[in-house]
Amino acid sequence: MEYEQLKLKSQLCFRLYTAARLTVGAYHPYLDPLGITYPQYLVLLVLWEQDKQPVCDIAKRLMLDTNTVTPLLQRMEKSGLLLRTKGKTDTRQRIVSLTEKGLTMREQAKHIPECLSASILEKMDPVEELAALVPALDKLIEGLSER
Amino acid sequence: MEYEQLKLKSQLCFRLYTAARLTVGAYHPYLDPLGITYPQYLVLLVLWEQDKQPVCDIAKRLMLDTNTVTPLLQRMEKSGLLLRTKGKTDTRQRIVSLTEKGLTMREQAKHIPECLSASILEKMDPVEELAALVPALDKLIEGLSER
DNA sequence: CAGATTTATATCGTTCACGATGCAAAAATA
DNA sequence: TATTTTTGCATCGTGAACGATATAAATCTG
């Protein structure tokens, strides 16, 4: 059939797109009580690993551009999770630092990865398939991000 | 160690989220000339498979809700790709049908999957890793969508 | 058949992604 | 040093996603 390749079921990207949406959705029960979104959670993960980073470093870790990250950080500043202060050595930079609220949220969030793993693993038996996913996604990301 | 495994798994969502974004981005060179977005391309895939479907059937195929699909279809109607006509047997329904423009776009789009596979495979050698991705994603989607 | 419930679609508000563009500061180069 | 280029961040506009809510029409139930 001439258009066989245009069938939805043969599309890898649609699977990725759907899996990503559904997985982010699975975080809702845990992030809603904290009053944060999934992208905001990612920012917190980065800052919990290392506080006081310029916007561009956060963007690099998340593989996003500043035009996505800046408004995200502005909303997070507004909700009291972090501060954006002018850089001293490089005044173009905005150094992002966690507030007390942002820091203490780490404690409330520390069980989220386990909860998510549990609920995903519960539905992904056997584990081997899950394990196969990670290196394949890494390779895909690496390939698509290289320039 | 159990902690390492949990840490690895907690990053799965970020990988999915990033891989999905980058893969959608890889469609840009092919979709921009057609003047459509990736979600609009997905709608076309569904309609090329079967024309004249109600909104809810399209939403089901894409695993999206009508509050996402309705505005998407409205934009596509505005750009002349499809029509949304009132259903006859069930007047609540909106039957979505392709216009001439939407139908002929299939011909222009038919090489997109090959192009994408080629550019992804180029970066995903060996192919086995790519092949492992599909059933694993299917299982994940199935698990997360069940309710 | 009347009332309750479900279904199909739409609207609104918020938050992301991201291309395009702007601007000032830093770095590179003439 | 003066000029050009690059970098870091921001703003704007558009198109998704999606929770909450609304509104008819269809369906179920008593």
Side-chain angles (χ1 to χ4, degrees), chain B:
Chain B
M1 187 57 194
E2 194 180 20
Y3 176 75
E4 267 308 306
Q5 233 184 351
L6 287 173
K7 193 176 176 189
L8 193 68
K9 281 172 219 148
S10 75
Q11 308 250 354
L12 174 65
C13 184
F14 175 61
R15 284 167 220 264
L16 283 169
Y17 158 84
T18 303
R21 277 193 313 107
L22 295 179
T23 311
V24 168
Y27 276 85
H28 264 110
Y30 309 102
L31 298 182
D32 285 354
L34 302 184
I36 58 174
T37 64
Y38 182 71
Q40 291 176 8
Y41 172 68
L42 291 180
V43 170
L44 290 178
L45 288 183
V46 170
L47 289 172
W48 287 333
E49 263 184 60
Q50 170 155 4
D51 201 359
K52 301 185 200 309
Q53 294 191 55
V55 174
C56 62
D57 285 10
I58 298 172
K60 241 169 260 164
R61 285 293 315 270
L62 300 180
M63 305 185 80
L64 291 166
D65 281 330
T66 58
N67 59 354
T68 296
V69 174
T70 292
L72 184 54
L73 293 173
Q74 286 171 340
R75 283 186 290 271
M76 292 177 77
E77 184 174 41
K78 212 168 164 183
S79 61
L81 291 165
L82 49 81
L83 289 174
R84 293 155 59 247
T85 54
K86 280 230 183 287
K88 277 164 190 167
T89 55
D90 187 335
T91 64
R92 289 171 307 177
Q93 290 186 336
R94 286 282 204 157
I95 306 299
V96 181
S97 57
L98 290 166
T99 59
E100 200 55 36
K101 180 179 176 185
L103 274 166
T104 56
M105 195 169 279
R106 188 184 202 179
E107 190 59 26
Q108 306 169 260
K110 73 175 180 182
H111 294 304
I112 294 179
E114 307 163 35
C115 297
L116 255 290
S117 314
S119 68
I120 288 178
L121 277 175
E122 193 183 306
K123 296 158 178 175
M124 280 282 287
D125 224 25
V127 188
E128 289 78 51
E129 285 171 304
L130 191 67
L133 215 39
V134 171
L137 288 174
D138 283 343
K139 195 135 193 172
L140 186 60
I141 291 166
E142 193 200 337
L144 292 176
S145 66
E146 83 193 3
R147 190 149 309 278

Side-chain angles (χ1 to χ4, degrees), chain A residues 8-99:
Chain A
L8 189 62
K9 67 170 197 291
S10 56
Q11 307 275 330
L12 172 67
C13 184
F14 175 61
R15 288 178 166 87
L16 283 169
Y17 158 83
T18 303
R21 277 194 312 106
L22 295 178
T23 312
V24 168
Y27 276 84
H28 264 110
Y30 308 103
L31 298 182
D32 284 355
L34 302 183
I36 57 175
T37 64
Y38 181 73
Q40 291 177 6
Y41 172 68
L42 291 181
V43 170
L44 289 177
L45 288 184
V46 170
L47 289 171
W48 287 332
E49 257 182 66
Q50 171 156 4
D51 202 358
K52 300 186 202 309
Q53 294 190 56
V55 175
C56 62
D57 286 10
I58 298 172
K60 241 167 261 165
R61 286 290 316 269
L62 301 181
M63 304 186 79
L64 291 167
D65 282 330
T66 57
N67 59 356
T68 298
V69 174
T70 292
L72 183 56
L73 294 173
Q74 286 170 341
R75 283 186 290 269
M76 292 177 77
E77 185 174 40
K78 212 167 165 184
S79 61
L81 291 165
L82 48 82
L83 288 173
R84 293 152 61 246
T85 54
K86 279 227 181 291
K88 278 163 189 167
T89 55
D90 187 336
T91 62
R92 290 171 307 179
Q93 289 186 337
R94 285 281 204 159
I95 306 299
V96 181
S97 56
L98 289 166
T99 59

